[in-house]
């Protein structure tokens, strides 16, 4: 049970992890030009646990007149001896304006347990409501928005599953060759660490191309 609890804790930050090494690899990506009426950008990731596929994590970003909408869906299942030991589903819609989160609506089910996050910007900050209560976050609030490299300048990120603000530390690592859309490419990884959080996010130029996380179990 501890291993599954750690699995869930890492997921709170919208990363994908489990006992051992978990890779998130892009199967396909469709990019549209930014601007009015642009086609959406898509990231469709396969999620593997110790080289065994357990689900997917998909992102769709639509940009229109300076406003961005990001729709996120993650679903995966871990089985042990043909018995489902862990099941997870996350649906999240975020609206961004001027590189800051303007609103968020998310629903997450972890082994049947429900979590809801609702947030909207007010003059004084972002008002965040969860099943546990409400809080207000000052200034420009950002989630774990891996698709935007501005993530790398953050010191605190909003957990889209719990509504909690998570302090993070970010450091650049040595470039690595990873598999992306059926080919091997050189990518620049960055390590994000914090409480119950340890992951690496990969970029090639400005493209987000992968995510990796390891937890104890």
């Amino acid at each position: 049970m501890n291993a599954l609890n750690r699995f869930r804790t890492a997921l709170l930050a919208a990363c994908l992890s489990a006992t051992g090494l978990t890779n998130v690899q892009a199967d396909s990506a469709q990019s549209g030009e930014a601007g009015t009426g642009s086609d959406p950008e898509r990231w469709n990731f396969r999620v593997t646990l110790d080289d065994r596929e357990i689900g997917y994590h998909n992102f769709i970003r639509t940009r229109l007149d300076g406003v961005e909408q990001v729709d996120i869906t993650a679903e995966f299942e871990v089985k042990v001896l043909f018995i489902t030991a862990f099941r997870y589903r996350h649906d999240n819609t975020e609206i961004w304006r001027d590189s800051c989160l303007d609103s968020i609506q998310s629903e997450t089910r972890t082994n049947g347990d429900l979590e809801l996050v609702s947030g909207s910007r007010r003059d004084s900050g972002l008002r965040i409501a969860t099943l546990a209560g409400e809080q207000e976050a000052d200034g420009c609030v950002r989630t774990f928005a891996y698709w935007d490299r501005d993530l790398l300048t953050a010191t605190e990120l909003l957990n889209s599953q719990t509504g909690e603000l998570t302090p993070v530390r970010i450091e650049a690592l040595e470039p690595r060759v990873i598999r992306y859309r059926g080919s091997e490419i050189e990518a620049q990884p960055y390590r994000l660490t914090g409480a119950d959080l340890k992951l690496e996010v990969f970029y090639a130029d400005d493209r987000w191309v992968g995510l990796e996380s390891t937890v104890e179990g």
Side-chain angles (χ1 to χ4, degrees):
M1 185 60 68
N2 285 341
L4 294 182
N5 285 338
R6 290 178 182 274
F7 184 89
R8 178 177 178 277
T9 298
L11 284 166
L12 299 182
C15 71
L16 300 171
S17 58
T19 309
L21 177 64
T22 301
N23 291 305
V24 185
Q25 298 179 336
D27 276 342
S28 62
Q30 175 184 343
S31 296
E33 296 297 325
T36 302
S38 66
D39 293 330
E41 293 176 290
R42 302 175 186 269
W43 294 265
N44 300 320
F45 291 98
R46 291 183 301 111
V47 181
T48 61
L49 168 61
D50 293 335
D51 297 323
R52 177 167 56 94
E53 189 165 340
I54 61 171
Y56 64 87
H57 200 186
N58 296 340
F59 300 76
I60 301 175
R61 179 170 67 169
T62 305
R63 292 184 275 191
L64 181 64
D65 296 335
V67 178
E68 298 183 2
Q69 176 172 318
V70 182
D71 296 292
I72 304 165
T73 304
E75 184 170 8
F76 44 92
E77 186 176 79
V78 177
K79 290 189 175 183
V80 179
L81 299 177
F82 306 104
I83 297 173
T84 299
F86 188 83
R87 181 179 285 120
Y88 178 86
R89 171 81 186 195
H90 177 71
D91 294 284
N92 179 21
T93 296
E94 300 177 3
I95 304 297
W96 292 74
R97 192 187 304 270
D98 298 327
S99 298
C100 299
L101 187 65
D102 201 58
S103 69
I104 180 171
Q105 295 285 338
S106 77
E107 176 177 319
T108 308
R109 292 187 181 273
T110 308
N111 288 338
D113 293 334
L114 175 65
E115 292 179 285
L116 299 173
V117 176
S118 177
S120 59
R121 179 156 293 283
R122 309 286 180 88
D123 290 340
S124 54
L126 187 72
R127 178 65 59 85
I128 304 164
T130 69
L131 294 177
E134 294 188 359
Q135 64 170 321
E136 192 165 290
D138 297 329
C140 180
V141 177
R142 302 183 61 85
T143 60
F144 285 75
Y146 305 114
W147 57 87
D148 187 347
R149 284 193 65 157
D150 285 347
L151 166 85
L152 302 175
T153 65
T155 58
E156 189 176 60
L157 296 169
L158 177 67
N159 184 318
S160 63
Q161 178 174 321
T162 65
E164 298 172 342
L165 290 168
T166 304
V168 295
R169 298 181 301 276
I170 301 172
E171 61 177 316
L173 304 176
E174 291 295 323
R176 283 169 51 188
V177 174
I178 66 170
R179 193 158 187 82
Y180 176 72
R181 301 182 68 184
S183 302
E184 290 190 342
I185 64 170
E186 185 174 275
Q188 174 63 58
Y190 294 85
R191 178 177 294 143
L192 280 69
T193 54
D196 297 314
L197 172 67
K198 181 181 178 182
L199 65 91
E200 293 177 11
V201 59
F202 295 80
Y203 296 94
D205 297 323
D206 287 331
R207 290 176 298 151
W208 174 37
V209 295
L211 181 70
E212 226 176 59
S213 183
T214 305
V215 297
E216 298 176 3

